[in-house]
Amino acid sequence: MHFIKHLSLLPSHFLNSTNQTMTKIFLVLVLLQTLFNILVVASAGNLNQDFDITWGDGRAQILDNGQLLTLSLDKTSGSGFKSKNQYLFGKIDMQIKLVPGNSAGTVTAYYLSSLGSTHDEIDFEFLGNLSGDPYILHTNVFTQGKGNREQQFYLWFDPTKDFHTYSILWNPQSIIFSVDGTPIRQFKNLESKGIPFPKNQAMSIYSSLWNADDWATRGGLVKADWSKAPFTASYRNFNAQACTWSSGSSHCSSSSSSSSPSWLSQSLDATGQERIKWVQKNYMIYNYCRDTKRFPQGFPAECSLA
């Protein structure tokens, strides 16, 4: 399997003899979850109904009767799209296949954001790399205009070979980032401790493919190879169980007939907690809560409380 082969790209200390067996067990569980998610999300709707192409002069396209969306980047311009709806809490899934081959210098961003100087934002960003080197998945959370909460990960598969599901569960208790149903990060609501949490500003979904070769790959040392352009990322099977926001009020959707959607109170169960520990132990490559050079006067408050 290509996801097993991809493990050889990770630093050796990630896969030492003491955790190889546990890693293999978890990878089997993750693969099963991946297959389940592909089957479940396959019933999602028409991308024409959910998104507008917002920029790119024809470099973004919705194809196959609304079943596929592609973004392209060349030396002149990238491209992007935005959701027709705004959301205030939800469980939002998108299947993405990233730029294959030499993707150095490119960034594929997929995120929720409100507007204004005190905006809230929940980020997935995929930092491209040279052929054979792993993508970096960059995550961040902004509250009231303040971010600087970066966590970065390698993935346990090659995200350019096939579509994979990237999910955000955002409810009043927490924000959970997941990949193929496996949670990789949680940002808890710690308002009682004085830490802002996104809960009052409706957010749109945005995605863009753009040139960031001044910083994206090895701090900007590796530039985009424009002879390989156009670079293309693909999207399908968008699914939102969410509260849509319109004219100052929200309407919440659910996969069941209950009046209160299950995702609105969903949290990590024991299995989810074990999986997030496994991901962070084996695949996390940067955590702002451990960056002593960046925070010499002490880490942000949520680092000790979470």
Side-chain angles (χ1 to χ4, degrees):
M1 291 291 186
H2 64 263
F3 72 91
I4 295 290
K5 180 181 178 181
H6 197 65
L7 291 177
S8 64
L9 302 176
L10 299 176
S12 59
H13 69 271
F14 280 0
L15 296 171
N16 58 43
S17 59
T18 62
N19 66 13
Q20 277 189 339
T21 301
M22 186 61 70
T23 296
K24 290 177 181 178
I25 292 171
F26 268 103
L27 282 171
V28 171
L29 293 173
V30 168
L31 178 59
L32 292 173
Q33 183 70 51
T34 300
L35 296 174
F36 174 78
N37 275 281
I38 290 172
L39 292 172
V40 169
V41 180
S43 62
N46 188 318
L47 294 168
N48 278 306
Q49 297 172 0
D50 295 308
F51 297 100
D52 290 318
I53 292 171
T54 49
W55 64 286
D57 294 326
R59 293 173 178 81
Q61 299 182 74
I62 298 178
L63 307 167
D64 298 342
N65 296 315
Q67 299 305 300
L68 179 69
L69 191 158
T70 61
L71 295 182
S72 291
L73 164 69
D74 57 34
K75 196 169 186 178
T76 302
S77 177
S79 52
F81 64 85
K82 176 186 176 182
S83 63
K84 295 179 185 291
N85 288 323
Q86 289 184 300
Y87 303 94
L88 188 62
F89 302 127
K91 184 180 184 300
I92 296 169
D93 306 317
M94 179 73 88
Q95 288 193 336
I96 306 173
K97 182 163 66 172
L98 297 175
V99 175
N102 183 355
S103 58
T106 71
V107 170
T108 306
Y110 174 70
Y111 59 101
L112 286 160
S113 183
S114 59
L115 300 175
S117 59
T118 58
H119 75 291
D120 296 331
E121 189 172 323
I122 305 169
D123 290 345
F124 278 115
E125 289 187 299
F126 303 90
L127 313 186
N129 215 331
L130 294 169
S131 298
D133 289 342
Y135 261 83
I136 292 175
L137 171 53
H138 176 100
T139 65
N140 204 352
V141 176
F142 286 73
T143 58
Q144 299 180 11
K146 179 184 179 296
N148 300 322
R149 299 184 175 99
E150 299 90 348
Q151 290 183 355
Q152 295 182 338
F153 305 84
Y154 287 144
L155 295 165
W156 48 92
F157 52 84
D158 183 342
T160 72
K161 297 296 186 183
D162 204 349
F163 287 89
H164 292 269
T165 304
Y166 302 92
S167 305
I168 294 169
L169 171 62
W170 169 36
N171 62 29
Q173 292 77 47
S174 69
I175 297 164
I176 300 172
F177 297 77
S178 297
V179 178
D180 287 336
T182 295
I184 63 170
R185 177 178 184 177
Q186 181 179 38
F187 183 79
K188 295 180 180 179
N189 185 340
L190 297 170
E191 283 188 308
S192 63
K193 306 296 185 180
I195 298 165
F197 183 82
K199 68 171 189 179
N200 297 318
Q201 300 186 63
M203 296 195 254
S204 299
I205 299 169
Y206 298 86
S207 190
S208 59
L209 175 57
W210 52 289
N211 172 23
D213 69 0
D214 58 335
W215 66 270
T217 306
R218 299 181 188 174
L221 293 177
V222 181
K223 303 297 185 181
D225 181 356
W226 296 111
S227 70
K228 302 293 193 295
F231 303 102
T232 301
S234 302
Y235 303 73
R236 72 180 186 187
N237 291 339
F238 170 72
N239 187 34
Q241 298 176 47
C243 298
T244 55
W245 184 263
S246 179
S247 302
S249 62
S250 63
H251 172 73
C252 299
S253 65
S254 173
S255 59
S256 68
S257 60
S258 63
S259 57
S260 179
S262 60
W263 58 261
L264 199 55
S265 58
Q266 185 177 339
S267 60
L268 288 177
D269 59 14
T271 300
Q273 292 171 5
E274 288 301 314
R275 286 187 174 184
I276 205 168
K277 289 177 183 177
W278 170 75
V279 171
Q280 295 191 357
K281 178 181 179 181
N282 292 286
Y283 297 99
M284 179 183 281
I285 59 172
Y286 177 80
N287 183 357
Y288 74 108
C289 284
R290 299 174 188 164
D291 192 339
T292 54
K293 292 183 179 179
R294 185 177 177 188
F295 299 105
Q297 304 304 316
F299 295 122
E302 68 266 17
C303 294
S304 60
L305 295 171

